[in-house]
Amino acid sequence: MDLTLQVWRQDGPTTSGRFETYAAPGISEDMSFLEMLDVVNERLAADGKEPITFDHDCREGICGTCSLMINGKAHGPERGTATCQLHMRKFNDGDTIVIEPWRATAFPIIKDLMVDRSAFDRIVEAGGYITVAAGSAPDANLIPVPKPVADAAMDAAACIGCGACVAACPNSAAQLFTSAKVAHLNLLPQGQSERYARTEAMVDTMEQYFGSCTNHGECQEACPKEIPIDFIATMNKDYLRAKLKNRRYLSRTP
Amino acid sequence: MASTTVARAATSRPAPQKPKRRAPLPIELYRSAVGKKYVMAITGIALMGFVFFHMLGNLKMYLGPGHFNEYAEWLRTLLVPFLPRTTTLWLMRIGLIVAFALHIHAAYSLTRMNHAARNTKYQGRRDYVAANYASRTMRWSGIIVGLFIVWHLFDLSWTGTGYTFVRGAVYENVDGSLSRIPVGILYVVANIALGFHLFHGAWSLFQSMGWNNPRFNRWRRDFAAIFAAIIVVGNVSFPLAVMAGVVGVG
Ligand code: FES
C-alpha cells in the first residue's frame, strides 16, 4: 500500500506544532498501525530526520498506552480496537491519513503525538482502590458475587485508561473512564464500604481537570474496550447518594 | 521513556486541595458539574411539562375563539375559591422562571468548563460517530429558543408586536400576529429548534438523573424522539393554521 500521512509534529510542551506530510510507500496491509509508523520512523532516521514520537507499550491492546487520533477518530476507524491492534488493511491504497494527538487541557502534549495522561492517575489516587486488611489470601468464592454483577464489574474493569473517551468527547469529559474505575469497585462486595466516599472523591477530582458530560455518547464508540455509558448513569446516581448519605463521615474537610 | 525526562505541564501535578466549607446539600450538589447536570435534568423535566401542556392547551384554538379565550380565563381562575384569582398561575410562572434561570445558568457554567477543558481544538477534521446534530447544537438551539421566548412574550402577552394587540383577547391576538407571514415563519423555525433541543434533552436527562435500566433503556431514545415530534407537530401547526386561514377571525 502507498499512503500519505499528515502527522502532528510538535517539539515540546510549550512550542507550537504543525501538520507535516510524509509519503509512506510500500506498507504491508498486515502491519499494525504502529508498525506502519515504525517503518516511517526508520526511514526518517535513515534520512537523518527526527522520528515521530508516539506512545506505545504492550502492542496487544491491554496497556492503554497507544493513543492516536486517526482521521478524526480516537484509535481510528475500527470499533473496539486500540491503535496498536488496528491493521493497515482497514485503509485503502492511496489513502491520506491524518494523525493527531489527544487534545485536552488535562492531557498536555509532551512531544509530537505523545501526551501526558497523569490527570487520570490523580483520579484513581482519589479513590480507585479498596482499603483492606491484607491478610493471607481468602478461600476462593468465600464472598458470593452474582454472575451478572461479576460480569458487569469485569466489563468496567476492562478499562485500560488510554484516554480515548476524553479525546473523543466534544467536551473533553472523563466520565467514561471515571465511571468505569468507580463501577468495577462499587459493583463488588469488597468495594461497598468506601462506595460513596470513593464516588464523591473521584468525581470531584475528575471535575478539576476535565469537562462535563452532555451525553453525546461519543466515548463509548471510541472506547477500545467498548465500555458502555451505562456506567456513567450509575456513577451519577452514586454521586447523588454520596451527597445525601451520611455526610458527616463522608466529609473530607474537618 | 522520553516522558520521564520532559518537563510536565502544570495540569499533571496533584490538584490543589481547595479548603471548602461544606454547604447545604442543594448548594453542595450544584457546585459540582454532575450536580449541575442533575439541575439541568430536573429543570428540563419541569420545562418539558410546561411545553407539553402549553401545546395541549393551545390546541383549543381549533375549537374557535369562544373555547380558546375561555381556556385562557380558566388558567387565571385556577383554584379560585381557595386562592385569589391568578395566584395559581403566578405560582406556576414563578416556578417556570426559576427553572429557566437555573437551566440557563447551569448550561452557561458547564459550557465554560467544557471550553476550558480543551484549550487547543483538534486541528484536523473530527469524524463523529454518536454525537448527532441535535446534541452538538444544544447551546445554539437553546439560545434560539430562549430569545424566541422573550419575543413570544412580548408578542402575545405583554405588548404585541405591531398588530392591534388587545390584552386578554387571546384568539384575536394569535390571529393578528401569526397571520403575518414572516412572523409565522419565525414561529415555525423556533419550534423546530425547540424540537432539536428536546430530542437530545429528553434522552440526555435519563443519563444525567442516573435512570438507566436494561428494562427500559431501549425506550429512552424513542421517548425523546416521540416527545420532540409531538411538540413540534403541535406547535408548528398553529402558525400554519393561522397563515392558512383555518384559525382566524376571518
Ligand atoms: S500499546 Fe498497549 S494498548 Fe496499544
Side-chain angles (χ1 to χ4, degrees):
Chain A
M1 301 169 79
D2 298 331
L3 301 165
T4 310
L5 305 183
Q6 286 188 339
V7 184
W8 186 261
R9 302 301 307 262
Q10 183 169 330
D11 298 333
T14 49
T15 51
S16 64
R18 71 272 159 206
F19 277 116
E20 238 152 76
T21 308
Y22 301 98
I27 298 296
S28 157
E29 60 177 26
D30 297 328
M31 285 179 183
S32 77
F33 200 85
L34 298 185
E35 285 165 340
M36 180 276 290
L37 285 177
D38 290 339
V39 170
V40 172
N41 270 350
E42 272 170 25
R43 291 175 187 165
L44 282 173
D47 288 351
K49 293 191 190 121
E50 175 94 0
I52 303 159
T53 302
F54 60 92
D55 254 332
H56 62 100
D57 189 23
C58 70
R59 298 209 175 192
E60 53 184 11
I62 56 167
C63 75
T65 312
C66 57
S67 51
L68 297 177
M69 204 71 180
I70 301 164
N71 286 339
K73 281 186 179 163
H75 289 305
E78 194 66 1
R79 201 169 192 278
T81 308
T83 301
C84 58
Q85 296 288 288
L86 177 65
H87 284 95
M88 294 314 294
R89 67 178 80 96
K90 304 294 177 191
F91 297 89
N92 298 316
D93 190 31
D95 274 0
T96 297
I97 305 175
V98 182
I99 311 170
E100 232 185 303
W102 289 170
R103 298 256 184 216
T105 313
F107 290 166
I109 294 176
I110 295 169
K111 193 174 194 310
D112 295 341
L113 302 171
M114 182 189 266
V115 299
D116 179 353
R117 281 164 286 183
S118 37
F120 271 6
D121 300 341
R122 303 290 93 78
I123 297 175
V124 172
E125 282 162 12
Y129 49 79
I130 44 176
T131 316
V132 290
S136 53
D139 285 347
N141 297 327
L142 203 59
I143 306 167
V145 180
K147 176 78 166 102
V149 175
D151 285 348
M154 218 28 223
D155 286 348
C159 172
I160 54 177
C162 63
C165 44
V166 173
C169 177
N171 309 322
S172 307
Q175 241 81 0
L176 195 64
F177 167 79
T178 311
S179 68
K181 294 298 172 202
V182 163
H184 81 269
L185 298 173
N186 279 8
L187 281 165
L188 295 175
Q190 293 89 340
Q192 293 313 303
S193 54
E194 290 157 306
R195 178 172 181 172
Y196 298 106
R198 165 185 305 116
T199 312
E200 193 178 18
M202 289 178 77
V203 169
D204 288 346
T205 308
M206 168 187 82
E207 290 180 355
Q208 293 178 29
Y209 295 102
F210 296 96
S212 90
C213 176
T214 56
N215 304 312
H216 287 288
E218 201 60 32
C219 50
Q220 81 178 352
E221 301 300 324
C223 178
K225 297 295 145 190
E226 300 183 86
I227 294 172
I229 57 173
D230 301 331
F231 290 124
I232 298 177
T234 325
M235 180 177 73
N236 290 347
K237 213 191 266 174
D238 275 358
Y239 187 75
L240 180 65
R241 286 200 195 126
K243 295 286 183 194
L244 290 169
K245 260 181 209 250
N246 212 356
R247 294 168 60 222
R248 191 142 69 95
Y249 294 111
L250 291 171
S251 176
R252 327 223 112 224
T253 48
Chain B
M1 279 245 16
S3 61
T4 54
T5 57
V6 177
R8 298 196 173 232
T11 41
S12 62
R13 298 225 173 79
Q17 282 301 307
K18 269 182 270 162
K20 261 191 300 188
R21 191 116 57 78
R22 202 105 177 154
L25 174 72
I27 296 165
E28 183 68 31
L29 196 62
Y30 194 73
R31 271 182 185 161
S32 73
V34 169
K36 286 196 182 77
K37 289 300 290 182
Y38 269 103
V39 169
M40 293 213 69
I42 293 165
T43 54
I45 293 167
L47 296 171
M48 278 167 66
F50 165 70
V51 156
F52 182 73
F53 286 104
H54 188 64
M55 187 277 288
L56 213 60
N58 282 350
L59 287 174
K60 287 242 176 199
M61 78 172 69
Y62 290 118
L63 301 175
H67 268 95
F68 195 47
N69 291 344
E70 213 173 89
Y71 161 70
E73 181 56 24
W74 171 77
L75 283 179
R76 293 184 198 103
T77 56
L78 273 176
L79 296 179
V80 131
F82 306 104
L83 291 168
R85 201 180 117 88
T86 72
T87 310
T88 319
L89 189 59
W90 267 109
L91 287 176
M92 293 197 291
R93 280 174 183 162
I94 290 166
L96 273 181
I97 292 166
V98 170
F100 263 115
L102 286 172
H103 199 77
I104 292 167
H105 180 263
Y108 168 77
S109 54
L110 291 173
T111 302
R112 293 268 315 250
M113 177 179 175
N114 294 344
H115 283 169
R118 183 165 287 143
N119 50 12
T120 310
K121 290 199 177 352
Y122 282 102
Q123 305 296 301
R125 225 173 56 81
R126 275 304 307 274
D127 185 0
Y128 291 108
V129 188
N132 54 34
Y133 180 78
S135 74
R136 282 186 289 127
T137 54
M138 282 304 269
R139 63 184 73 107
W140 300 117
S141 55
I143 288 169
I144 292 172
V145 170
L147 292 175
F148 167 75
I149 288 170
V150 174
W151 152 270
H152 180 51
L153 284 169
F154 273 108
D155 185 31
L156 293 173
S157 299
W158 294 339
T159 60
T161 49
Y163 63 94
T164 39
F165 173 76
V166 182
R167 218 182 160 78
V170 184
Y171 190 86
E172 292 72 13
N173 288 343
V174 168
D175 180 35
S177 179
L178 297 192
S179 55
R180 298 171 296 172
I181 303 291
V183 175
I185 291 171
L186 175 76
Y187 272 80
V188 172
V189 170
N191 274 293
I192 289 171
L194 174 64
F196 278 111
H197 202 77
L198 287 171
F199 176 73
H200 181 68
W203 127 260
S204 178
L205 70 89
F206 285 95
Q207 281 288 109
S208 298
M209 298 291 294
W211 292 338
N212 183 300
N213 192 314
R215 273 181 309 195
F216 60 72
N217 277 358
R218 60 209 183 88
W219 299 108
R220 298 185 301 177
R221 286 269 183 203
D222 299 346
F223 166 77
I226 292 168
F227 185 84
I230 289 173
I231 297 296
V232 170
V233 169
N235 278 355
V236 162
S237 79
F238 306 132
L240 294 183
V242 173
M243 288 191 284
V246 180
V247 168
V249 277

